[in-house]
Amino acid sequence: MGIDDRSMQMQRWQRLGSRLRPALRREGRALRAGLRSPPLWALLLCSLLLFVLAHQVRRPFALDIGSRPEEIYIRGFHAAEEGGGRSYRWTRAEAGLSIPGLGCCPYRLDLSLAAPRPPQEDPPQLRLEAGGNTLLRATVGTQVQVYSVLLPAEALRGGDLELLLHSDVFIPGGDPRELGLTVDHLELRPAGGPVRPALATLLWAGLAVLLAALLVERLGWPRWAALGVGAALALALAAALAWQRPLLTPGLPYLPLALAAGWLALALLQRAVRAGLERAGAPLGAAAERALWSVLLLFLALRLAGVLHPALETWDLCFHANRLEQVLRGEVLFTITSGEWRSQETFYLPLLYVLQAPLWALLGGRLLPFKIVAVLLDTASAMLAAYIARRLLDRDRLVPWAAFLYLSVPQSYIIFSWGIVANILGQFLYLLLLGLLFSPAGRLIRRRAWLGAAALLVPALLVHPGAVLLTGALLLAWVLTAWLAPLPAFSRAALWRWAGAAVLALFLAALLYYSYFAGTMWHSIQAMRAGANAEAPAQGGFLVRGPVVDGDLGLLPVEVFSRGEALAAGVRELAAEARAYYHTWPLLLALAALPAWALQRRLLALRWAGLALVVALLFAGVGLALNLYVRYMYFLLPVVAVAGAWWLGQLARRGWAGRLLAAGSGLYLGCSGLWFWIEHVLYYSTGCR
């Protein structure tokens, strides 16, 4: 690097520092002012006392080895197996069980063990240790038996349990593994005396309460509201510590980290976002802006802490990690076997991995960058949905509701269980395009706006096959319907400019990528026309299913034997998806918004929402007819958010009863979504981590 290059680099760093220093000074003043508040320190002291009291609730902790979420506590075990009506794991010569933040007191430990052996093998010897103390020496028989020992308080150093199992091993014929014991159940019960909390648990929980209260005050809410939010978080954490402490403590450090990340985002982006919204024709009043940032930061903290929790497993992240490794090796043009294409060979667009590579190099880790990017993109998508609501509905009070609904329904949580980062990026680009379409620059009169539209369309065509199909279908339908039934805000000249940007983007996307896979895709299409399908029904009927099969959500494939039965089963599948992803009624509100918007002459909102619903229904029909699936329910999330925000706004204008109903609906969605996040996604999802 030459002297001139180093000088330019230093100048860039100096300019960045000059921009950051005022923001950091501003945040420092807000932090110092908050920390001088005696009620805040009283809240912290009361919270710590509450956490100590929560530890005294003597609930047993049971762990089924071989069932979720036991993997975060074990090491030195083989893969889970099932047999004899139980799930279990074999130990190696040394295996361990680690439960952080349990708290110091005597515990009764019950372990269900067995040691199946061939007749010629001697029964193995077990030595059980904790905290350097030998708790049990025993000969383990072939039948399942419960071994009970008393754990003294000194065996839990710092309140953390570290249990070691040493046993003799053998190598069965035809299996290269060294096998010790089978373990299928563990249960811990406090056995007397007060529980002394782990210092780390009190530290992280107290820091989370402190940061939450300070952040709420920094957002501009009155001090009593900040103290109320801190107290509510303290109560929630105390309930979790009393109810199932070992589920909370492995991920507890990530909650204050996520809150600090939210504060940093607020410090760096608030003024830029405010200026951007004003330039884009969507200024917000102080109250609406404060509420919007409160919603975004609340869900950012919950999701970031959740995806960093070691218990979270996802279906597709290992797939994405493998594709990223291919791209880093220079293999940008690759194919996969896709279930969405009847298990035929198809291209898979590499844009996500090209964009992800710098973050992967910065953060390291195999899956961590994907998790962080997914949360950031989804939060940014909620901001874009809020902007669209402001432009289409012209009421800034609806903006926080739109962001809240986008982030609170089950569909917005389950994407992290699926790990569909490419779809999340596709949704973000789709909303960026909509934001440009509905902005004052949406007619593309200026050359800069036209080039921006073309520049957005190119990655939107290179992001994910399903997202490309959905976005492309909606934009094509928009242009055609606007040509046939013009809108006041869009002249035909504007449509020609959008069509020109789309043609340029299609040409570039085909030149850069799609032209390399024409032969592959033609062969796959021919194979599908010939009936090739790895998921063909066993009895030769019609297989009716959605994009996802999940028995816990009631989404299961059904084989039928006539087109009438297939249509009825398809309707039932759509109803099951509406119930699983949206609790049904927000989706019904989106449908009901169409005639209401027609009466109010909200033509842009009506055209967009109506076309999006038609496109989603079209692709649901394509999936039913051809067994080719895209995530049409996820595609509808912005429509549900904007339409639901409009309905809640209508309720809020109907006096106190309407406001209470709107607030109750929001509270229900927020709490049920959080419970779905905990129950279905965080601890009990399956996949890879």
Side-chain angles (χ1 to χ4, degrees), residues 219 221 270 277 282-296 383 386 390 395-401 403:
L219 283 164
W221 296 97
Q270 186 180 29
L277 289 174
L284 299 181
E289 182 188 23
R290 180 172 64 240
L292 174 63
W293 277 104
S294 300
V295 168
L296 294 174
M383 172 69 84
R390 176 67 177 86
R395 289 186 59 204
D396 67 351
R397 290 181 178 273
L398 304 182
V399 167
W401 277 119

Side-chain angles (χ1 to χ4, degrees), residues 423-462:
N423 297 79
I424 296 172
L425 176 59
Q427 184 97 319
F428 172 73
L429 292 172
Y430 159 63
L431 288 170
L432 269 180
L433 279 169
L434 285 182
L436 176 58
L437 183 67
F438 298 140
S439 74
R443 288 179 291 175
L444 306 185
I445 295 174
R446 295 185 177 182
R447 180 178 299 178
R448 182 183 301 176
W450 188 88
L451 291 174
L456 270 177
L457 283 164
V458 172
L461 292 171
L462 293 172

Side-chain angles (χ1 to χ4, degrees), residues 34 45 93 99 128 163 165 181 199 205 247 249 251 260 280 318 332 358 400 425 455 481 484 508 551 573 617 663 676:
L45 178 60
I99 304 178
L128 187 65
L163 197 66
L165 294 86
L181 314 171
L199 183 60
L247 293 179
T249 50
C318 287
V332 179
L425 176 59
T481 55
L484 296 173
L508 291 175
E573 170 65 26
L617 190 60
F676 183 87

Side-chain angles (χ1 to χ4, degrees), residues 53-98:
L53 290 174
H55 279 74
Q56 312 313 312
V57 177
R58 298 180 174 276
R59 283 181 56 88
F61 174 64
L63 193 64
D64 284 321
I65 307 299
S67 302
R68 296 278 297 141
E70 38 82 68
E71 284 191 12
I72 62 175
Y73 305 108
I74 62 175
R75 67 181 189 279
F77 285 79
H78 293 289
E81 301 179 31
E82 292 186 0
R86 65 190 185 104
S87 60
Y88 60 89
R89 289 178 183 265
W90 283 95
T91 67
R92 295 181 169 88
E94 180 178 299
L97 285 149
S98 302

Side-chain angles (χ1 to χ4, degrees), residues 13 20 327 330 409 428 434 566 569 585 604 612 625:
W13 281 108
L20 287 177
V327 169
V409 294
F428 172 73
L434 285 182
W585 61 269
L604 280 180

